Structures are given as C-alpha cells and as structure tokens.
Amino acid sequence: MPVTSAQFADSAWSDAAIKLGNSFGAIAGFLGILLVIFFAAGRATGRFGRPLALLIFLGPAVLLLLVGLVVPLIRTIYLSFRNDDSSRFLGVKNYSWALTDQSIHQVLLNTLLWLVIAPLAATGLGLALALLVDRMRWQALYKSLIFMPMAISLVGASIIWKFVYDTRDSAQRQTGLLSQLAVWLGWKSPPNWILSHPLNNFLLMVVMVWVQTGFAMVVLSAAIKAIPDEVTEAARLDGASGLRLFWYVTVPMIRTTLVVVLTTVMIVTLKAFDIVRTMTGGNFGTQVLANEMYSQSFVQFNVGRGSALAVILFLAVLPLVGYNIVQLRKERATR
Amino acid sequence: MSSQTPDQAATSGTAPLPAAKAIRKSFSSPLGSFFVIVVTILWTIPTVGLLATSLRPKQDVADSGWWSVFAHPHLILSNYHTVLFDGGFGVSGGLMPYMVNSLAISVPATIFPLVLAAMAAYALAWVRFRGSDTLFFLIFALQVVPLQMALIPLLQLFSGGAHLGGVTIIPQFNLSGTYAPVWLAHTMFALPLATFLLHNFIAQLPRDLMEAAVVDGASHFKIFRSIVLPLCAPALASFAIFQFLWVWNDLLVALTFAGGTPDVAPMTVRLAQLAGSFGGRWELLTAGAFLSIIIPLLVFFGLQRYFVRGLLAGSVKG
C-alpha cells in the first residue's frame, strides 16, 4: 500500500521528537553529573582541596585532548610507516610514494596553489574592504552582507557556486550565471567551467575567498580602529597621507593581526576539503591533499598512505602555528 | 592637505581628528565607495540566485536562468515540501530526518566543549600550578593537528576499544548508529580553541574579586559557578554561537563518525552526496541547500552584533 506524504510527515515528526529528546536528555545528564560532582567536591577542604579542584576542572579537558588529539597524532605517525591494513612495517615507502608518484604531484601542486592564492586574495580583499567600508553610510549593511558567507557551510557554498558555474549545451538557454554572462559578452558556447583544467582550480578557490573575505574584513577593521590616535596624528604632522599613511603607518601597526588572519585562513584552506569534495570530488585535476587523504583512507582503504598524507599535512601547518606561538609568547611577556 | 595643524586645533578649540577617522578620510573617494558596493553585490548575488531558484517551478528552472524571475515572477513553495517530506531525492522522508540530525548533533556539541573548556580555562588562569603556562601553550598548539589525522585512530578506538599488549584499557563501545561519537569528536576537536579564547577572557577578570571570594572561604567550585560563569556570559555566548555554526556546517567529522544514514547523518553529509549524484535537479538541490543554510543565517543575522564583538575580545590587541 502506498504511503501518503501526510503519513510520512507524521512519522517524521515523532522521529524528530525522539531524536531531539535524546539530545536534550544527554545535555541534562551531562550538566547534572557536573553539578553533583561540584557539590560533592565543594565540601572537600584542607590538603586535598586544591589538587581535587585541579583534577576536576582540568581532568576532563586534558583526558579528551589526549584521547582525541595527542594519541591519534602519535598513532597516525606510527600508521604512516605501515602498509594498507597496518599489518606490516613499510619504512618510508608511503612517504616516497607521496613525494614521487605522478598522480600525487598534481595534488601537491594544487594544495600549494590553494595555500598561496586563496589566503592572500581573501586577506588582501578583506583589508581593502576594511579600509574603505568604514566611512560609508550603511556600512553595517555592507559588512553583514560580505560577512554572511561565513555562516554558510562550505557544502552549501559549494552548491551555490556549482550553480553559478553550471553550463549547458549551447542549443539550450544557460541557467548558470557565469555561463550566461559569457553568452551576454558574446561567447557563443561557454566551456564547461568545472571540467576545464587548470581553470577549475581557480574557480574552486573563488568559493573559499568568497567565504573567508568577510572574516578578514571584520578582524582587520577592528585592528585598524584600535590604532592609537597619537600615532596617526604624528605621521600626519610629518606630512604622511593617503597611500603613504597606509604603507608606513597602518600596515605596520596592524602587522600582527594581518599575520594572524593570513595564517588562520591558510590553516582553514589547508585542512578544508568540503569544497573540492562537493564540487568535483577531486576529479578533473582539482584534487587537494586534505581530500586525497580522505580518499586514500576511507575510499581506497589504504590507511598507511592516508596516514602519510595526514602527516605531511601536519608538517605543513606546523610552522604556521609555531610562528603564532612565538607571537603569543611575546605578547604575554609584554603584558 | 586639508588637515588641521595643532595650532589651528588649539585656537579653534576642536580636538584633533581621531586616528581611525583620519585614515578613513584619506581613503575616502567615490571610487572606493563604488568598489565596496560592487563587491557587496557580487558577494550577495550567488545566495540570491540560490533562493530564487529554490522558489521556482521545475519547468521554469529547466528552461531559463533564475534572473528571469524578475521579468516573470512565478514563485512556489512546493520544492521545499518535496525536499523535506516526499523523498524527492529517492529517500523516504526526504531531508527532514537529516535536518533533525543536524540540530540534535549541534546543540550538545556546542554545550559540552563550552562547559569543559570554561572549567579548564578557569583552572589554567586562577588555580595556578607548576607548568600551567606550558600546559596552556600545549593546548593552544594542538590546534594544528589536522582533524584528518585524528580520524582513523579515533574511529578505531570507538569501534574496537583500546588495548595495550593484550590488556584492554578502554573497552569496546557500541556507539555506532548513535550521536555519541559525533558529539565526542566535536567536543575533543573544539577544546583547544575554546580553552584558548575563554582563557583570554577569564584571565582578565579582576584579581581583587577573586581574592575577596577566597578570603570569604568560597571553594573554587563556588567561585567558578557564582562569579566566573556569570561574568563570562558574553564570551561564552559568542563562542557558543561560533561553535554552533561550525558544528552545523561541518562535513568531515560527520562524514567519518555518522556515516550517511538518515539515522544520524546531518544535512551537510546528505547534501554533499546529492550534489554529486543529483546535479540536474537544481530546483530540489537549491531548496535543500537553502534549508541547510537558513538556520545558520538566522543565527548570524539575529546575533551578529554580539558574537563578532565577543569573539574579538582579548584576541585583537590595540
């Protein structure tokens, strides 16, 4: 017997109630346990008071970090020296595969292109907007609209842009905006953008820039507002203005923030695989390290190779965070 | 240039231009405003196109681009009904279960790390001990670990438990098909950044206040509950909003720990599958995509004035 859509909807609603009930039950249980522990431990006094407090406050976080990040980190490094199902030791074979295999070269090159172009474009554009938008009327409106893609998932963003890049046979009317623009500009049959290598790589980066520019703009705008008045005044007395003021006063004063924004976007870019996965699945010469790592481990079931790629990813991010820690230490020292 | 010299400022009695204003002024030009407006329009158009397409009948979407909607407005809501309930993508129940999953995953995965990180941040800032600085930097540094690295070991742990030389340290959980692995993974991965940001805020609370509470004989638990949590409400709220957006928008963790079943998988997972296999049905795909972004957008536009300011507190130094 066919089920009507109304019946479907009914069972969907009761299903929803059960699922959400479970979630809120879990939250209530979690907070309840904490309250009981707090109440009981709050009674403890004397010699054991402090160590007990430390254990309860820090214990869960440290334990979860150990289980969730530290141990996996060590284990992934271990797995990267072993074969596809981790049963045999392979030495550095997975790494030599990663660095010499022809198909991986394209992946590494793409990752490098992403790493350089997307963060620079997003930060540069964000800086320009931060400088320009502040003195305009309706600036809150412009800022919100440019910042808005940050709230959209990379999957959602990918679908949005897939639609922009959609191409049809020249006999039909175009429905993708980019193709239609090309037609309006006199291009009879626009290419299938997503399939055109190497152009497709840059078209995918546009999505990342679209998402990240708002973030760069908001943070840089806050940093520019925080420049002390005396600094700019002094520079202006010395006759600096316009571009000179920008290059010799504004940029040096917000240098730390610029670097933080750049590294943040770089780390997001390096680790994010949603865009490539949703838009091309890594085909047509658009594969990047983060997605290849996922494919190797969970599609081809070669845990060794997947782990080796993950370690390479880790080594690539390491200097960026090392730099951030050095900056942080300096800031703490001056505080 | 047109700026006042100090003498003029002194004689006319007006304050010198504030710095931000001065920079702004030197960048004011019609060309700059034009640039901002163009970028804003460019940034908005793709989303508008998505919304417009999701509201058009199937035949219209197949025949013409969404911009023709301005010439021939004919909008319907049935695409949303199809996508949500009728299984328009060949799944019974449509996207509705996935949307519920998204919500059921996001709310606990926001609360758990927030509470645990606030506790850790308080201990690191106010219950000082030998090595607390080092521990703080170590936790911060863990942000680097690409989630991809943690996936395989965590998955093995969740499915097989942990063993060391034949001795079972952690027993095998039977968590598959539940939200628990997704919650746990999100909590673990959120802790470094959450602890870092909340520590910045909690460490700036007035020392006198803390010391007075200790003198009054309050335990750390009491201080945390009745002083730290209320005073940190803005920071907690802004991080909660961000964490909610991140979890809601996440694909990688959900894909790994929830799989693709309607039991537990969130919308991002289903949409990514559909985008790969269902390219032709734009009216349904766009409706699904809009459903997945509507809640983050509501959160964003409703609360943006709070969360941008709150997250920046302590992170951008003047």
Side-chain angles (χ1 to χ4, degrees):
Chain A
M1 203 181 95
V3 189
T4 66
S5 83
Q7 279 171 308
F8 258 139
D10 268 355
S11 71
W13 287 119
S14 65
D15 181 49
I18 294 171
K19 284 175 169 178
L20 292 178
N22 283 340
S23 270
F24 286 102
I27 297 175
F30 170 77
L31 295 179
I33 292 173
L34 272 186
L35 268 183
V36 171
I37 294 178
F38 271 33
F39 182 76
R43 317 261 115 183
T45 44
R47 212 147 56 82
F48 296 111
R50 227 177 87 92
L52 188 68
L54 274 179
L55 181 73
I56 289 170
F57 277 116
L58 270 176
V62 169
L63 184 73
L64 284 175
L65 284 170
L66 279 177
V67 174
L69 291 171
V70 178
V71 173
L73 181 79
I74 296 164
R75 201 164 152 73
T76 304
I77 295 173
Y78 167 78
L79 291 176
S80 73
F81 292 107
R82 303 184 77 84
N83 67 342
D84 51 359
D85 60 356
S86 327
S87 59
R88 237 167 356 97
F89 180 74
L90 281 187
V92 293
K93 251 196 188 141
N94 288 323
Y95 289 94
S96 59
W97 164 80
L99 297 176
T100 55
D101 191 273
Q102 208 63 48
S103 62
I104 294 297
H105 279 167
Q106 180 71 49
V107 175
L108 292 176
L109 179 70
N110 286 347
T111 308
L112 194 67
L113 280 178
W114 273 84
L115 197 58
V116 174
I117 294 173
L120 278 182
T123 312
L125 207 54
L127 179 60
L129 288 166
L131 285 166
L132 291 171
V133 82
D134 264 341
R135 45 174 192 81
M136 292 177 65
R137 287 175 61 193
W138 309 105
Q139 57 151 305
L141 176 74
Y142 297 123
K143 277 187 171 174
S144 312
L145 288 177
I146 294 172
F147 193 61
M148 180 187 71
M150 275 296 280
I152 298 177
S153 68
L154 289 179
V155 176
S158 305
I159 291 178
I160 291 177
W161 282 89
K162 224 181 153 181
F163 191 48
V164 172
Y165 297 148
D166 192 36
T167 315
R168 299 237 227 134
D169 190 83
S170 57
Q172 288 176 294
R173 285 210 273 175
Q174 297 294 342
T175 53
L177 188 58
L178 185 65
S179 309
Q180 183 63 56
L181 278 176
V183 170
W184 276 330
L185 290 173
W187 195 339
K188 283 281 177 299
S189 55
N192 196 332
W193 309 103
I194 293 292
L195 302 183
S196 320
H197 186 76
L199 176 69
N200 50 11
N201 273 312
F202 298 99
L203 292 177
L204 298 195
M205 285 176 211
V206 166
V207 185
M208 184 56 96
V209 174
W210 182 70
V211 170
Q212 296 290 342
T213 297
F215 166 75
M217 173 191 71
V218 168
V219 178
L220 291 173
S221 166
I224 291 173
K225 281 188 180 146
I227 296 176
D229 294 352
E230 307 86 55
V231 176
T232 330
E233 265 317 300
R236 292 171 64 79
L237 283 182
D238 291 342
S241 66
L243 270 183
R244 285 174 59 86
L245 192 65
F246 170 69
W247 277 119
Y248 296 108
V249 180
T250 312
V251 170
M253 290 299 287
I254 60 169
R255 208 182 49 118
T256 319
T257 315
L258 261 179
V259 173
V260 168
V261 170
L262 204 60
T263 45
T264 310
V265 180
M266 271 185 183
I267 291 174
V268 172
T269 307
L270 198 55
K271 294 198 290 192
F273 80 138
D274 315 26
I275 294 176
V276 171
R277 194 180 164 77
T278 314
M279 289 186 77
T280 65
N283 300 312
F284 325 120
T286 58
Q287 187 68 302
V288 293
L289 203 49
N291 196 43
E292 177 70 24
M293 184 264 139
Y294 188 88
S295 306
Q296 285 294 339
S297 312
F298 295 101
V299 182
Q300 322 231 14
F301 297 106
N302 194 326
V303 173
R305 286 184 174 181
S307 301
L309 291 175
V311 174
I312 293 176
L313 205 59
F314 175 66
L315 293 176
V317 190
L318 205 56
L320 296 179
V321 169
Y323 180 83
N324 272 341
I325 289 185
V326 171
Q327 287 294 323
L328 201 67
R329 282 216 119 125
K330 263 193 219 153
E331 250 177 50
R332 286 201 126 201
T334 57
R335 197 176 269 173
Chain B
M1 296 299 284
S2 63
S3 69
Q4 292 177 313
T5 65
D7 286 341
Q8 282 170 324
T11 48
S12 64
T14 54
L17 280 173
K21 240 191 187 155
I23 295 174
R24 255 180 255 167
K25 255 197 90 173
S26 50
F27 275 89
S28 75
S29 73
L31 205 65
S33 306
F34 180 71
F35 173 77
V36 172
I37 292 172
V38 167
V39 172
T40 309
I41 293 173
L42 281 178
W43 252 237
T44 317
I45 280 180
T47 317
V48 172
L50 179 87
L51 177 61
T53 307
S54 70
L55 291 170
R56 302 178 74 208
K58 183 181 174 195
Q59 199 52 46
D60 287 13
V61 173
D63 283 348
S64 57
W66 57 267
W67 46 90
S68 60
V69 95
F70 298 114
H72 319 281
H74 174 41
L75 301 178
I76 52 164
L77 276 174
S78 68
N79 291 336
Y80 284 92
H81 190 270
T82 309
V83 163
L84 267 179
F85 299 115
D86 289 352
F89 288 124
V91 268
S92 62
L95 276 181
M96 171 84 170
Y98 296 96
M99 197 158 182
V100 174
N101 290 339
S102 275
L103 205 59
I105 287 173
S106 302
V107 177
T110 302
I111 309 253
F112 295 164
L114 197 67
V115 174
L116 295 179
M119 284 160 55
Y122 169 74
L124 289 172
W126 293 102
V127 197
R128 310 279 296 183
F129 56 95
R130 246 166 45 115
S132 60
D133 263 352
T134 315
L135 186 62
F136 174 67
F137 278 115
L138 274 178
I139 290 176
F140 173 73
L142 282 176
Q143 282 180 82
V144 237
V145 180
L147 300 191
Q148 283 94 336
M149 273 189 109
L151 296 181
I152 300 171
L154 259 191
L155 207 58
Q156 289 174 347
L157 173 73
F158 287 157
S159 63
H163 312 275
L164 197 69
V167 182
T168 304
I169 307 171
I170 302 175
Q172 180 180 339
F173 307 106
N174 197 5
L175 296 177
S176 61
T178 70
Y179 297 122
V182 195
W183 291 338
L184 259 173
H186 275 303
T187 304
M188 289 162 169
F189 297 152
L191 278 174
L193 186 64
T195 310
F196 173 69
L197 291 176
L198 292 177
H199 178 274
N200 286 351
F201 197 92
I202 291 175
Q204 284 170 6
L205 295 176
R207 177 165 289 275
D208 300 349
L209 194 66
M210 298 297 192
E211 277 163 3
V214 173
V215 170
D216 285 349
S219 71
H220 283 299
F221 301 96
K222 191 153 173 51
I223 295 176
F224 180 73
R225 239 182 338 159
S226 52
I227 299 180
V228 175
L229 282 187
L231 286 179
C232 281
L236 290 173
S238 63
F239 187 79
I241 297 166
F242 259 99
Q243 174 71 7
F244 180 84
L245 290 181
W246 284 328
V247 175
W248 182 279
N249 289 337
D250 155 79
L251 175 64
L252 179 61
V253 174
L255 200 58
T256 313
F257 294 101
T261 67
D263 293 340
V264 281
M267 287 195 84
T268 44
V269 171
R270 186 64 188 143
L271 277 174
Q273 291 170 356
L274 296 176
S277 62
F278 234 86
R281 302 288 299 277
W282 280 116
E283 79 284 359
L284 295 183
L285 198 53
T286 49
F290 197 78
L291 281 175
S292 85
I293 66 176
I294 184 75
I295 288 184
L297 283 186
L298 285 178
V299 169
F300 170 75
F301 280 114
L303 304 168
Q304 59 165 331
R305 64 172 67 234
Y306 305 101
F307 79 90
V308 172
R309 199 183 307 148
L311 193 82
L312 292 178
S315 62
V316 177
K317 287 227 320 177

